[in-house]
């Protein structure tokens, strides 16, 4: 089954309104070069609506970086799926390692967020990945297996067909260290098999993105791997030319 490449940019907690304007303008100016690749940018909440408005009618889609599972209520600092849909936003990153590391995100809360996103018609980009010490002790597969099994617990095959998975080895995020194409492919193939066991044939259509210091210089080799269907990009998504360089490698 052929899977359309997806390149998603995670701005994290970066870009003031003025900085976002410069980046959005830079991407819009080159949007006509985008062909055969799904492109998503995920700004912080302060510039989500601006980005959605600016990219409307272009090939660039917009995503959020987190979503709460409740419809509304006393959850200070959170946003609900229906609030994101209203903007309108189409994608949402869930379970990023920084959320897990610094904000107490667990596989259980990932699962609740994924279900809320799907119920609202948002496409979750579900992040998994091992820490350096887990890789060094040979636990990578066990770690991502639990993250997938618990994070996607209770989903039907139809639900699973709507998600995107991102494999992001934590040791490669923001460090300049990249998994080699072979290292990444090995885990992506493991994840594909795992998804096949859980959801059957739809696994062949689920996009599995690689994330971790992807940049124009290494994107092509990573994206050439059989089970690497795109990238989730942090640092290199903050400069229009770098992000476009990766998009054009897809
Ligand atoms: C990320 O935050 O998802 C990421 C992959 O970051 P970077 O590209 O900066 O490593």
């Amino acid at each position: 089954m052929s899977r359309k490449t997806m390149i998603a940019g995670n701005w994290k907690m970066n870009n003031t309104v003025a900085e976002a304007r410069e980046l959005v303008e830079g991407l819009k100016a080159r949007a006509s070069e985008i062909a055969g690749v799904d492109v998503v940018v995920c700004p912080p909440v302060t510039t989500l609506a601006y980005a959605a408005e600016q990219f409307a009618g272009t090939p660039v889609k917009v995503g959020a970086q987190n979503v709460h599972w409740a419809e509304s209520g006393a959850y200070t600092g959170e946003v609900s799926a229906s609030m994101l849909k209203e903007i309108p936003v189409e994608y949402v990153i869930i379970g990023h390692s920084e959320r897990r590391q610094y904000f107490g995100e667990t596989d259980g809360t990932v699962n609740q967020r994924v279900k809320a996103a799907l119920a609202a018609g948002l496409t979750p980009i579900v992040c998994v990945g091992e820490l350096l010490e887990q890789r060094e002790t040979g636990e990578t597969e066990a770690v991502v297996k639990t993250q997938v099994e618990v994070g996607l617990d209770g989903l039907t095959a139809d639900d699973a067909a709507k998600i995107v998975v991102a494999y992001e080895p934590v040791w490669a995020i923001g460090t300049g260290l990249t998994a080699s194409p072979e290292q990444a492919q090995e885990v992506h193939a493991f994840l594909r098999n795992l998804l096949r066991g859980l959801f059957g044939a739809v696994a062949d259509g689920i996009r599995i993105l690689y994330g971790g210091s992807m940049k124009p210089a290494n994107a092509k080799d990573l994206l050439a791997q059989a089970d690497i269907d795109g990238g989730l990009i942090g640092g290199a998504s903050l400069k229009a030319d770098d992000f476009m360089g990766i998009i054009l490698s897809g």
Side-chain angles (χ1 to χ4, degrees):
M1 193 181 292
S2 75
R3 296 177 291 270
K4 190 172 179 190
T5 300
M6 173 180 284
I7 301 295
N10 173 13
W11 291 6
K12 311 193 188 194
M13 195 172 74
N14 291 298
N15 290 332
T16 61
V17 172
E19 288 162 347
R21 189 171 296 135
E22 194 181 327
L23 180 49
V24 167
E25 292 296 335
L27 291 173
K28 275 173 69 179
R30 298 190 58 184
S32 61
E33 296 172 49
I34 298 171
V37 180
D38 285 337
V39 176
V40 182
V41 298
C42 302
V45 283
T46 48
T47 46
L48 260 183
Y50 167 74
E53 190 184 299
Q54 290 295 313
F55 287 127
T58 78
V60 181
K61 308 291 180 210
V62 174
Q65 298 174 16
N66 192 20
V67 62
H68 196 265
W69 51 87
E71 177 59 33
S72 62
Y75 301 101
T76 302
E78 295 281 328
V79 291
S80 74
S82 59
M83 290 169 177
L84 295 175
K85 277 297 278 187
E86 191 187 24
I87 283 180
V89 158
E90 292 180 50
Y91 294 85
V92 59
I93 298 171
I94 296 176
H96 190 279
S97 65
E98 288 150 15
R99 300 286 326 159
R100 295 175 187 264
Q101 230 175 327
Y102 307 131
F103 302 102
E105 189 81 77
T106 65
D107 294 331
T109 54
V110 166
N111 184 243
Q112 289 180 276
R113 295 182 204 275
V114 168
K115 286 176 175 164
L118 285 169
L122 293 166
T123 299
I125 302 175
V126 185
C127 303
V128 300
E130 82 285 4
L131 303 169
L132 182 58
E133 53 268 37
Q134 293 168 329
R135 172 159 284 265
E136 287 173 345
T137 51
E139 292 170 86
T140 299
E141 291 186 355
V143 168
V144 297
K145 182 170 188 279
T146 302
Q147 290 172 334
V148 167
E149 284 177 347
V150 181
L152 305 185
D153 183 47
L155 267 60
T156 64
D158 280 354
D159 291 332
K162 295 177 189 140
I163 69 165
V164 175
V165 173
Y167 168 58
E168 301 206 302
V170 180
W171 49 271
I173 297 181
T175 58
L177 295 174
T178 316
S180 69
E182 296 73 25
Q183 275 177 324
Q185 166 59 24
E186 200 179 343
V187 182
H188 280 236
F190 174 80
L191 288 168
R192 178 98 47 217
N193 270 326
L194 180 62
L195 292 168
R196 208 174 279 127
L198 293 171
F199 303 113
V202 299
D204 291 316
I206 299 176
R207 282 170 305 180
I208 307 177
L209 315 183
Y210 168 79
S213 300
M214 195 187 268
K215 38 190 176 280
N218 60 24
K220 219 175 186 64
D221 288 345
L222 286 159
L223 296 172
Q225 301 297 312
D227 290 288
I228 300 184
D229 309 312
L232 180 55
I233 327 295
S237 73
L238 298 175
K239 292 210 166 69
D241 286 343
D242 287 348
F243 195 48
M244 279 307 302
I246 297 173
I247 292 166
L248 298 177
S249 306

